[in-house]
Amino acid sequence: MQRIYSEIHRRSTPLSDDQVRDLCQQLNQCFEVYLASIFNAMEIITKLLTDRVATDEVVLSYRKLLSYVSNVLDKDSCGKLAYYLRKISSIALEDGSISPESFPIAVMKCILVLMYSFPITDFSERKLILQAVRGTLEWCRKSQKLYKQCGIGTLLRSALNSTKHLQDDVIVAAEQTVLTHHILDVFYIPQPTVIHPVEVLLRLAYERIFARLVTEWSTVRCFELLLYVLYSVLKRDIYTHLKLSIVRLLADAVGGGTRRFVRLLCVAKHLRDEVLLHKVKTILTIVLAHSLFRYEPIKRACHFRAFLKTIEQMVNDVDLLALANAKFLCFNIPDAKLTIQHVCVVLVVRQLDLLEGVTSRSMEMDYVYNLIASINIIYYKRWKLPGFLVKHFVDGLSRFSNSSLVLKNVSEPEQKLQAILSTTPTARYKTEADMFGRLPATVQRIQWLQLQPHGFKATLIFHQQIEMLDERPILACDVGRTDGLVATLGTETLVAVLSAKRATATARYNASVLLSKCSLSGTLLRKVLRQIAYACQQQGQRATGCWMDWVRAVYGSVQTLDTVSRRSLWADLSAIEQTACGSEQRLLLVDTRATLLLDMIPKQTGTVAELHFHLPSERDKVVARQV
């Protein structure tokens, strides 16, 4: 081995193909289970790959060489071996002619997993191993199939688990941050069209990073790294849901919720530093913009950029230090420093927690107190509520308007609400139905809108009703929910949803399920029957199943139909071609027709003759024997 090493390093000219092949054959016979010999072989492989001659033969020799590594691997040799692994992998990648299938990626992965099994605490050694891991991940750029084929997930998990015994939180967090950045570079540029399995490990890595950093968040060094980790994720061109899920991991590390996340960033002693203050405001702007834009009626990137500027202006106008000292409570901020931006930020932070389900009894009380303060402050100061915040303001009010605290502390609520909403610009919405954007519709909001004395337009309320029906399918067996929705929406609204062109298939299905629990009459019943007749006539021209929602809607009213209506409905349903129906459609059709058939059978009014039984006499017994 030493002779080959000396010979190849003395040569000043590249070897020919035949010479490289002969040299590889000699090399394969010289491999030994000795560390020094393996290091020499690594140098030879590096030299041969650099010359880019007969690379296939060189790669085969390298594959054979790696089979000897596990026998000499120990804690002290991991760093140097990792250095050679990274160097050879980088040369092979730069060559471009070596395919991922021929290069021993799986073997490299196994060796690196073994390295991470040693309790290596020297961070210079760990850095070399991490660089080898990054070099291995680079092969996945050429073929995404390698992630599963070579078990790259096992390598990443080993790298994450190897830091458990390390004490320096900042250095460990920095090491894992480098790893997460490389994962994002390799697997998320460009963005995958489907969820990549590495996302589980990516979340785990950030969870470990945040768990390390939140323990020392009061130190400037740790806080700066925390801001760097957040900003590096938020600025990337990855899906919004992934960005927010990573931010949520940090929030969960400090108790959960946007409010705790914001309070973690707004530490008074850090906010006195202008540089840190600017970084905090930048991160808050991006997080709040992404979180709130999910509920806006528009989705385009150009609209998001405009929305981002609005949020940026709001955050920049806020004195975060004053908010932090006031514990994010409006009534704790001195009146001279209080602005509409402070009120908006306080309301937004709590509203996001409410929408994401991060709530408790104490948090609800906190929300109500700040809602009361917001109503009174905005009303008496005659401030204008930003347009994007109107829906959240109304949503919060509709949830807690019946609270005893609101009723007790907000005098003349209708007058104050009317004054607040009248000063709000609504021209930004194409239609009034877009007022609530993509904010999930709730029963409380619909009921609240219907009860307002100054009134909201019927189109807005109807749009909210459709949105609520469009959320998820309603089960007919969920009696408690169906009864509550029928009482809230009413049969007229449900029939209107079935007729609405803008209603989705889910909304129409849910409306029909709710109507099947009702007994229709009068105009509504006639309308449903007409629609069934029309849909059945058009069955051949339309997609099969257009009639299904209408038939389901009339199901609860079949027994109340008169004779003419029953026969007409029977004839309409008989015209449907069952061979073109699915199993659910056939079941509904058969069930409805069976109910109609039972109702159309004439009821018998005659009495059943009574049968008289008596014991046989002795004479009868004698006659019976003779017979």
Side-chain angles (χ1 to χ4, degrees), residues 153-169:
T154 304
L155 173 58
L156 295 176
R157 192 175 294 275
S158 300
L160 294 174
N161 292 335
S162 67
T163 60
K164 289 183 177 180
H165 63 279
L166 301 178
Q167 301 299 321
D168 194 321
D169 292 331

Side-chain angles (χ1 to χ4, degrees), residues 204-216:
L204 177 62
Y206 277 107
E207 185 178 350
R208 299 274 178 87
I209 292 170
F210 295 142
R212 292 276 185 170
L213 294 180
V214 296
T215 58
E216 300 291 339

Side-chain angles (χ1 to χ4, degrees), residues 431-450:
T431 63
E432 194 177 25
D434 291 331
M435 175 180 174
F436 291 100
R438 289 175 281 169
L439 199 65
T442 61
V443 173
Q444 297 97 322
R445 190 190 310 146
I446 292 173
Q447 292 174 339
W448 184 85
L449 291 173
Q450 292 171 335

Side-chain angles (χ1 to χ4, degrees), residues 500-557:
K501 293 182 179 180
R502 67 180 303 171
T504 63
T506 302
R508 285 195 293 269
Y509 168 81
N510 287 335
S512 66
V513 169
L514 295 177
L515 285 171
S516 68
K517 301 291 184 179
C518 307
S519 179
L520 302 177
S521 61
T523 306
L524 293 179
L525 181 58
R526 289 194 295 272
K527 182 176 182 179
V528 173
L529 292 175
R530 283 198 304 269
Q531 290 293 338
I532 292 174
Y534 178 74
C536 292
Q537 291 172 4
Q538 300 294 323
Q539 187 199 9
Q541 304 172 15
R542 293 185 175 188
T544 303
C546 292
W547 50 269
M548 194 172 177
D549 292 330
W550 290 105
V551 173
R552 190 185 295 109
V554 83
Y555 182 80
S557 309

Side-chain angles (χ1 to χ4, degrees), residues 226-339:
L226 179 63
L227 296 181
Y228 169 74
V229 172
L230 283 174
Y231 182 70
S232 62
V233 172
L234 294 172
K235 73 175 183 179
R236 283 183 176 269
D237 186 19
I238 57 177
Y239 291 114
T240 302
H241 77 86
L242 182 57
K243 292 181 182 180
L244 294 180
S245 65
I246 292 173
V247 171
R248 198 175 297 117
L249 290 174
L250 175 57
D252 292 341
V254 291
T258 305
R259 182 190 174 193
R260 288 191 173 96
F261 166 75
V262 174
R263 293 191 68 176
L264 172 70
L265 297 184
C266 296
V267 182
K269 74 172 190 176
H270 295 321
L271 295 179
R272 294 188 182 95
D273 186 317
E274 290 296 328
V275 176
L276 292 180
L277 176 62
H278 176 72
K279 291 180 179 179
V280 169
K281 285 192 173 184
T282 301
I283 291 172
L284 282 181
T285 298
I286 300 173
V287 172
L288 294 180
H290 279 303
S291 300
L292 292 170
F293 193 70
R294 294 177 298 170
Y295 306 109
E296 290 298 297
I298 46 183
K299 301 181 182 180
R300 296 179 182 176
C302 59
H303 294 120
F304 174 74
R305 287 191 290 269
F307 186 76
L308 182 64
K309 290 181 179 179
T310 302
I311 302 299
E312 182 181 14
Q313 184 64 43
M314 180 185 74
V315 174
N316 286 337
D317 292 342
V318 168
D319 186 349
L320 288 181
L321 184 59
L323 265 182
N325 292 331
K327 298 182 179 180
F328 284 84
L329 299 172
C330 289
F331 42 78
N332 284 348
I333 302 175
D335 188 67
K337 292 186 176 181
L338 186 63
T339 63

Side-chain angles (χ1 to χ4, degrees), residues 173-187:
E175 177 184 318
Q176 294 186 338
T177 300
V178 173
L179 180 60
T180 56
H181 287 180
H182 205 65
I183 292 174
L184 290 170
D185 290 339
V186 172
F187 298 104

